[in-house]
Structure formats: structure tokens, C-alpha cells
Amino acid sequence: MLQVIAVMVVGILVGYLLRGRRVKALQPAITVLIWALLFLLGIEVGHNRRIIAGLPTLGLEALIISALALAGSLLLAWLLWTVIRRKPSHRP
């Protein structure tokens, strides 16, 4: 854990020293590293038998949570829209 914090602190220091400078290779490097991390995470998940065995349950729970979050977002957006449209504008 100390190694993770140390790497993060070093990254913060390097970012602090490079602020204001345009580092052109930074964005492509970040993209490649994120893809590599996602790939390695997929390997780790695929290698874990307990996770693979629980995928149907995890998938169903994820589907339910996603559907309820979407429904709640739509409901609140609709309520906000109706409140905004009813409010009379007091423009001089």
C-alpha cells in the first residue's frame, strides 16, 4: 500500500513541476495505459473461478440497478422539466 501512495505522490510532484507546459505525448500515453489496465483486469476476472461462477447473479443485479437508475433519472428529469416550464419568467 505504501508503494501505491508513493507512486501517486511522485506523480503529483511531477505534475506540479510540469504544470503550464504542454506535454503532447501525455494524452495518448494515458489512453494506452487505461486500455492496458482494462485488459489486465479482464484477464484477472476471467482467471477467477468464483467471479465467473457468479456472473449470472452479478449480471442480473447490474441490470436491475441500471434499469432503476435510468428510471429514476428519467423521472427526476421529467419533474424538473415540468417545474421549469410552469414557472413564469419575470423578465422586465
Side-chain angles (χ1 to χ4, degrees), residues 8-86:
M8 194 163 102
V9 169
V10 169
I12 290 171
L13 290 173
V14 170
Y16 182 77
L17 294 173
L18 292 177
R19 69 175 181 216
R21 294 183 185 172
R22 180 118 175 136
V23 183
K24 294 182 181 182
L26 191 60
Q27 187 63 38
I30 290 172
T31 302
V32 168
L33 289 173
I34 289 174
W35 282 105
L37 286 171
L38 287 171
F39 178 74
L40 293 173
L41 179 64
I43 290 173
E44 186 69 26
V45 168
H47 186 25
N48 191 330
R49 293 179 190 264
R50 289 179 61 195
I51 293 175
I52 296 299
L55 273 181
T57 304
L58 291 172
L60 179 61
E61 289 175 6
L63 180 66
I64 292 169
I65 290 170
S66 299
L68 291 176
L70 178 64
S73 295
L74 289 173
L75 176 66
L76 290 176
W78 176 76
L79 286 172
L80 179 63
W81 180 256
T82 57
V83 168
I84 290 173
R85 295 216 29 166
R86 279 191 210 157

